[in-house]
Amino acid sequence: MFISYTFIIFILVLFLLYYLIPKRFQWLLLLAANFLFYFSAGTYYPLFILTTSVTVWLAGVRMDFHEKRWKEYGEAIKRGEVAKPSREEKKAEKAKINSRKKRIMLICLLFNLGILAVLKYSNFIIDNVNAVAGEMKFSYVDLILPLGISFYTFQAVGYLLDVYWGKCEVQKNVLRFTLFVSFFPQLIQGPISRYGDLSETLYKEHSFDWKNVRFGLERILWGYFKKLVIADRISVAVGMLTGDPEYYTGVFVFIAMIFYAVQLYADFTGGIDIAIGIAQVLGIRVEENFIRPFFSKNIAEYWRRWHITMGTWFRDYVFYPLSISKPMKNITTATKKRFGMAGARRVAVYISTMVTWFATGIWHGASWNYVVWGLVNGIIILLSEEFTPLYEKFHKQFPKLTATWGYRAFQVIRTFLLMCCIRLFDLYDGVRGVCKQFVHMFTQFHRNPVTKQEMIDLGLTMWDYGILAVGVLLMFIVSMWGRNGSVRAKISEKPYIVRYIVFVLLFFAVLLLGSYGVGYSAQQFIYNQF
């Protein structure tokens, strides 16, 4: 949706109105824009996001009511208005308040995650039941899957848990809270914002700031470049390579996974650039979602740099609560005699890690491919943790080697290729099909020679490959240049003529080199499906 002409007109009109109307109405204009955007994606979609917004808001208000009752009770004791309770009585009253809050939180949590589960996973469950049910088969259900349901549900659930834990203030205005849940730039593929972060600028009155607007427009333009010039162009070749896995095997599997890495990065970060740029034009700060992930030296670091808001969401709302939960404490106690305290704690951490990565995988898609993808990530991270003492010993033994640029480059390339291999679960149908292609990448390496004609048969001309090479090089240069500060800020320090030339060239690159063609239909962002 971000790359349709209708959407471009929509945001230009929004930008204009946003700074023309009285500032006190800006947030209401944004709320209206959210629902206009969402309604255009599906007639019934607004009903789902409204349901989530209202139920989570009510739960937050109700939990806040009980928390205030507890505070008022304490103040009444201090003022002498009620008899001072014994320690046991005070503890019992606090437990009663906490029990009510927990009940409200759990009902709301299960209701909203239940909506997500039913809409997204019903057919996946039916498919698996049918696989083991013998002759009795269940029919698939035809359900609406609202745009961005995984993103806005997680955003709302994060707020619900933060209120329950007392980490953020309750939003008393249901319309303002709905604005937080439905903020349209984030609906397609994130970032997944925390209420405490986004609310700092979302509800404020914003005056026109040319620097903010210019930086936002530049970020949007850069996002369009990555999406239209690189991602949509290379997607043609990726589609050809994965569409005929029987022919495109061996070395072509390697080419497919490298091409897909470029496509996914340009597509996903391009969409995030557009989302963050739109927010910045409106004076709203949205969290960064990528920090040069392909420069990571291991998988754990990669996930601290890739889709950051998703990773931190699962860490804070799944891993941490699970790892300190009562069941995990019971597991630690039960395994203490067998493995010792250090080993018992490790078992609890390993279980929590694998559950978290299972949830991460299934969140990405209702498919065993994504479940296995998540579990493989978790296993590699745990193995890496186990081998950490050996790595440290190796570094101490060969300090000159490990301090070299070449060794760091080896770590980066190793991590990149490892993540590319794991991403094969995105590319091929079925876990068996993925494993088959992975093996063929090594065993059938010379089956089909890579010739110039074979590469052209993927649907790209030599001109296309040249554009892709320049585009990838440009992304690399921008990433390197951005290590020590904002690239846009650095460009803004250059003479006016340099700034003008840079962005005029970028604009015409998008306009002239974007992957349009006859009968062009913009490719959906890859993360839309999640």
Side-chain angles (χ1 to χ4, degrees), residues 90-106:
K90 193 173 181 181
K91 190 176 180 180
E93 184 65 24
K94 178 63 174 175
K96 189 191 301 181
I97 294 292
N98 287 341
S99 176
R100 289 171 180 170
K101 286 175 59 181
K102 187 175 183 178
R103 184 164 60 249
I104 293 167
M105 181 273 292
L106 286 175

Side-chain angles (χ1 to χ4, degrees), residues 93 113 121 128 140 142 165 181 234 345 352 435 446-447 461 476 496 526:
E93 184 65 24
L113 290 181
Y121 304 108
N128 284 278
Y140 293 110
D142 187 16
W165 291 326
V181 175
I234 203 170
R345 286 175 178 169
S352 299
C435 295
H446 300 292
R447 176 178 166 181
T461 65
F476 176 79
Y496 175 78
I526 294 172

Side-chain angles (χ1 to χ4, degrees), residues 469-487:
V470 173
V472 170
L473 179 62
L474 186 57
M475 287 196 299
F476 176 79
I477 291 171
V478 169
S479 293
M480 293 294 288
W481 199 19
R483 289 181 301 173
N484 301 314
S486 167
V487 172

Side-chain angles (χ1 to χ4, degrees), residues 211-377:
K211 181 180 178 181
N212 237 8
V213 171
R214 178 164 56 86
F215 274 26
L217 292 174
E218 290 168 359
R219 184 89 183 244
I220 293 170
L221 186 59
W222 178 235
Y224 277 124
F225 175 83
K226 288 196 281 188
K227 169 63 177 171
L228 294 173
V229 177
I230 301 174
D232 282 2
R233 176 171 270 102
I234 203 170
S235 69
V236 176
V238 173
M240 289 290 293
L241 288 164
T242 57
D244 188 1
E246 294 300 322
Y247 180 79
Y248 289 113
T249 187
V251 69
F252 285 104
V253 178
F254 180 81
I255 293 172
M257 73 179 196
I258 300 298
F259 279 14
Y260 181 67
V262 173
Q263 181 196 357
L264 182 62
Y265 177 79
D267 185 284
F268 196 6
T269 62
I272 294 297
D273 286 334
I274 295 170
I276 293 176
I278 291 170
Q280 188 168 10
V281 171
L282 299 170
I284 298 166
R285 188 178 68 83
V286 174
E287 295 298 308
E288 291 290 342
N289 217 23
F290 292 88
I291 304 176
R292 296 174 296 282
F294 290 149
F295 290 94
S296 305
K297 298 181 183 67
N298 54 62
I299 299 294
E301 182 186 354
Y302 174 89
W303 282 110
R304 290 193 296 269
R305 292 167 170 260
W306 176 282
H307 207 343
I308 299 167
T309 56
M310 180 207 69
T312 55
W313 195 97
F314 278 102
R315 181 197 67 194
D316 295 343
Y317 300 116
V318 179
F319 176 78
Y320 285 159
L322 183 61
S323 61
I324 62 173
S325 65
K326 189 174 181 180
M328 287 302 116
K329 290 179 180 178
N330 292 338
I331 289 173
T332 300
T333 302
T335 55
K336 181 180 176 181
K337 291 181 180 180
R338 185 175 181 85
F339 301 109
M341 180 53 73
R345 286 175 178 169
R346 225 177 245 182
V347 170
V349 169
Y350 290 172
I351 293 172
S352 299
T353 299
M354 294 309 294
V355 170
T356 300
W357 276 103
F358 170 84
T360 304
I362 202 71
W363 176 84
H364 275 78
S367 162
W368 283 110
N369 275 42
Y370 290 115
V371 171
V372 176
W373 170 87
L375 295 177
V376 168
N377 273 286

